[in-house]
Amino acid sequence: MWAIGRLRSSLRREIWGYGLTAPAAVLTVLATVAIIAFLTWKGLSLFFVHKVPLSNVFSTAWHPERPAAEGGPQVGILNFLYGSIVVSTLATLISTPFGIAVAVFISEIAPKVGQRVLQPVIELLAGIPSVVYGYIGLSVLVPFIRNHLGGTGFSLLAGVLVLSVMILPTIASVATDSLRSLSHILRETAYALGATRWQMIRLVLLPAARTGILTGVVLALARAFGEALAVQMVIGNIPNSPTSLLIPIITLTSGITMYMGNTVQGSLWNDALWFMGLILLITSFFFIILVRYVGKWGVAK
Amino acid sequence: MTAHFKDRLATLAFWLAAGVVVAVLAFLLGYIMFHGFKVIDWKFLTSEPETIKAGGGIGPNIFNSFYLLFLSLIIVVPLGVLAGIYLSEYAKENALTRSIRLSIETLASLPSIVVGLFGLLLFVTALGLGYSLLAGALALTIINLPLMVRITEEALRTVPQDLREASLSLGATKWQTIYKVVLPTALPGLLTGIILASGRILGEAAALIFTAGLTTPRLNFSQWDITSPTCPWNPLRPGETLAVHIWKVNSEAIIPDVRRVADGSSAVLVIIVLLFNFLARWLARRASFRLTGQ
């Protein structure tokens, strides 16, 4: 009897273990499905409720407030999309060499200085909230650009510089991890063949770590693409095509930030913003797939 | 140019790049602290923000930030820890586990503004919570759930397998082993992760603009009726956090002393985040000492 009682109580405990933990894990799936469903439904109302033709949406004419008599309203989102793509790509281009250099410095050049100084610095950079980056950009970078380079200062350039500092920690930490995980045999073999440290880094370590480094770059690009407030504070938020570094532009995220609270729910203007939200969601899936693809590409070689 | 000379040149370039990064951080911190310390005093830290006049403080915003942090932690920590336990101790390699991992990866890479939009749709509008601290806490939960799960999985993985086997061989069930042996051993690692996540939660703003809102009612700290809109603890009232306040004064506010308020608020926010980071580091060092004795 005692044994059966014991068995029963341990069974009950096992059910507790499963019954508590599995639903919590399944909840993450439900949350993801809910986000996709809600944003798709709301994002597509631009087409289903307002019957806006695709040619209107995928144009650069953004006049959501213009009455029908004057040929409106026009909700062309292309300038928002261009803005997001250009600002995040340029920021990643600036940030990548610095991120890789920092990673090499920490793992190969001066590990002691790297781990005592540079690694905490990277962690602190990652910890500074994005609104603070935006504010410093607004109070230092924007006036500097206005006084020395021209324009109002609110510009693509300001957005690029702010973002490139913000995403540096992402590239640097992922690249550091992947360099650290490389076998010591690689280094010793290269040295044994008479390579200098730079040759060893350039010809052996960086190619061997390229999967990890590329993953870091894609993650940083994704972060830059999705960043909202820091960008909104410095780029000017005017729907221009990004043809010069010094003109104010707008991005998907900054447009949503600017207008979402000030437009009437269910209006055409408002639903155009929800469509931009849907594009952000789709883009983030694209980056997830890209990261997976890059990962596999490394394993296959 | 000899290979040796190129090597020297490259080394110099790496030192330069590292120096630039350190200089950027030093400038950022120096700038924030220098301008912030001129502003911060007791009155600034405790008084109400102003909407039109100069001289506003950030008292309610600091309170909102910490209260929102607390609200989101009491939701996300149990959920994240349980889901993490499932993945590290129970999950088998099957379709369900794969979809859970894919979902976590998806949630982790969503831009926070997208989560804010979802919060606006579901929590604020559909569930009728309105712009409220609860809606904000739920949005923050979605943002931090993947992080919490990963922290838990990682902390549990550092627990030696011997401990589990010893516990099981003494006749304990799996669940007993988990909550009496594995979890307590992993606790310092878990705490470190939670504190790090907290620093992130305090700095989050994009998701909160659409959920917790841009306003705070006049708070009355002697009001203990939790349903009253002036009660600070009412989770259904709107609440503007410190991070959101920094954004709002810069882009929407019409107070004449925007610079002063933004300087002070940024410095306070950065100091809080840094303190959380240091606390997490200190705890991590103690935790590894406890586990390895070194």
Side-chain angles (χ1 to χ4, degrees):
Chain A
M1 279 317 282
W2 181 78
I4 291 174
R6 203 88 200 208
L7 185 69
R8 227 182 244 154
S9 87
S10 40
L11 256 180
R12 213 163 36 230
R13 288 208 178 89
E14 272 321 280
I15 291 165
W16 268 110
Y18 253 106
L20 280 175
T21 60
V26 170
L27 194 73
T28 60
V29 182
L30 293 182
T32 311
V33 171
I35 289 175
I36 296 170
F38 271 85
L39 278 173
T40 308
W41 163 65
K42 190 75 176 154
L44 291 181
S45 63
L46 191 57
F47 305 104
F48 292 137
V49 178
H50 300 283
K51 315 267 187 235
V52 178
L54 277 177
S55 58
N56 185 332
V57 177
F58 288 97
S59 76
T60 55
W62 174 257
H63 304 291
E65 75 294 354
R66 195 175 276 179
E70 293 167 36
Q74 286 168 310
V75 287
I77 60 155
L78 277 190
N79 277 334
F80 295 76
L81 191 59
Y82 292 154
S84 287
I85 293 172
V86 170
V87 81
S88 52
T89 310
L90 290 180
T92 309
L93 284 178
I94 295 182
S95 207
T96 299
F98 278 99
I100 296 175
V102 162
V104 172
F105 186 87
I106 293 175
S107 76
E108 311 299 324
I109 306 287
K112 258 204 179 132
V113 183
Q115 276 155 35
R116 291 239 175 96
V117 182
L118 218 49
Q119 203 134 9
V121 163
I122 294 293
E123 279 162 30
L124 289 183
L125 280 176
I128 295 179
S130 66
V131 282
V132 174
Y133 279 111
Y135 174 58
I136 296 175
L138 182 70
S139 55
V140 180
L141 216 51
V142 168
F144 181 86
I145 294 171
R146 177 167 56 228
N147 296 334
H148 297 277
L149 299 171
T152 59
F154 291 99
S155 56
L156 172 57
L157 179 63
V160 167
L161 292 177
V162 166
L163 276 181
S164 56
V165 180
M166 285 184 65
I167 61 175
L168 180 73
T170 308
I171 303 180
S173 54
V174 178
T176 307
D177 286 345
S178 81
L179 282 173
R180 278 223 187 104
S181 68
L182 296 178
S183 159
H184 262 279
I185 297 170
L186 281 177
R187 298 178 177 88
E188 281 150 25
T189 312
Y191 282 139
L193 290 170
T196 63
R197 184 165 65 182
W198 170 232
Q199 285 168 333
M200 188 268 297
I201 291 168
R202 184 168 57 97
L203 300 171
V204 179
L205 293 188
L206 290 182
R210 71 181 182 282
T211 308
I213 293 172
L214 259 177
T215 305
V217 171
V218 175
L219 290 175
L221 185 63
R223 192 174 166 209
F225 198 92
E227 172 54 40
L229 301 189
V231 174
Q232 189 270 340
M233 286 162 93
V234 300
I235 60 159
N237 303 300
I238 297 172
N240 290 319
S241 293
T243 49
S244 148
L245 277 173
L246 294 178
I247 59 168
I249 59 154
I250 199 163
T251 64
L252 293 168
T253 52
S254 75
I256 295 172
T257 309
M258 292 276 295
Y259 301 125
M260 189 52 94
N262 304 324
T263 51
V264 180
Q265 283 289 320
S267 65
L268 177 68
W269 189 344
N270 186 260
D271 282 340
L273 300 177
W274 284 106
F275 182 63
M276 292 184 202
L278 179 60
I279 294 186
L280 280 178
L281 182 72
I282 293 169
T283 319
S284 98
F285 288 132
F286 167 74
F287 284 124
I288 293 172
I289 294 168
L290 198 60
V291 165
R292 295 204 149 199
Y293 176 76
V294 166
K296 280 204 185 113
W297 175 65
V299 175
K301 294 260 163 141
Chain B
M1 211 158 36
T2 64
H4 186 66
F5 182 70
K6 276 191 196 164
D7 183 56
R8 282 291 190 72
L9 213 62
T11 304
L12 185 71
F14 283 117
W15 274 94
L16 273 177
V20 167
V21 174
V22 174
V24 166
L25 182 79
F27 169 77
L28 290 175
L29 286 185
Y31 183 86
I32 297 166
M33 296 308 163
F34 176 73
H35 289 276
F37 278 134
K38 290 191 288 197
V39 177
I40 298 172
D41 54 26
W42 186 245
K43 185 171 168 288
F44 179 73
L45 290 177
T46 54
S47 59
E48 298 264 343
E50 293 289 346
T51 43
I52 328 169
K53 286 186 302 182
I58 52 169
N61 305 99
I62 297 177
F63 175 81
N64 286 340
S65 283
F66 281 101
Y67 187 44
L68 193 58
L69 170 68
F70 167 75
L71 283 178
S72 66
L73 282 183
I74 57 173
I75 307 173
V76 79
V77 169
L79 277 180
V81 169
L82 286 173
I85 291 174
Y86 178 79
L87 284 179
S88 91
E89 310 287 323
Y90 287 103
K92 299 184 176 64
E93 215 16 80
N94 57 25
L96 176 68
T97 309
R98 274 196 297 277
S99 62
I100 291 169
R101 290 199 186 279
L102 183 65
S103 299
I104 289 169
E105 197 184 334
T106 308
L107 289 180
S109 59
L110 284 183
S112 67
I113 190 172
V114 170
V115 178
L117 290 177
F118 171 69
L120 176 61
L121 269 181
L122 183 61
F123 308 136
V124 175
T125 314
L127 295 182
L129 296 177
Y131 288 113
S132 61
L133 291 172
L134 185 57
L138 290 170
L140 289 177
T141 299
I142 294 182
I143 293 178
N144 287 291
L145 190 57
L147 185 68
M148 213 60 240
V149 176
R150 279 178 190 171
I151 289 167
T152 308
E153 256 199 289
E154 211 157 288
L156 294 190
R157 211 172 295 131
T158 59
V159 176
Q161 203 59 35
D162 303 358
L163 278 181
R164 291 187 182 84
E165 279 159 18
S167 165
L168 289 171
S169 70
L170 288 173
T173 64
K174 196 164 183 182
W175 179 239
Q176 281 175 326
T177 305
I178 290 168
Y179 80 79
K180 291 209 170 128
V181 178
V182 178
L183 266 187
T185 317
L187 196 62
L190 269 178
L191 270 178
T192 309
I194 292 171
I195 294 169
L196 272 180
S198 302
R200 258 181 44 157
I201 297 178
L202 288 170
E204 176 56 44
L208 296 179
I209 290 174
F210 304 131
T211 52
L214 294 170
T215 54
T216 310
R218 289 261 154 189
L219 299 181
N220 175 5
F221 278 85
S222 55
Q223 170 65 266
W224 287 99
D225 173 14
I226 202 156
T227 57
S228 158
T230 60
C231 175
W233 308 99
N234 180 356
L236 292 176
R237 68 172 176 87
E240 183 198 38
T241 65
L242 192 55
V244 172
H245 191 59
I246 295 173
W247 176 76
K248 193 182 80 176
V249 294
N250 278 302
S251 44
E252 292 196 339
I254 42 172
I255 47 172
D257 56 346
V258 168
R259 269 309 289 260
R260 187 188 68 91
V261 175
D263 279 338
S265 311
S266 301
V268 171
L269 184 58
V270 169
I271 290 168
I272 293 172
V273 171
L274 290 188
L275 283 178
F276 272 75
N277 278 4
F278 285 134
L279 187 64
R281 244 165 212 290
W282 175 78
L283 203 71
R285 225 178 298 132
R286 282 200 44 161
S288 81
F289 181 80
R290 231 184 68 169
L291 271 180
T292 63
Q294 280 171 356

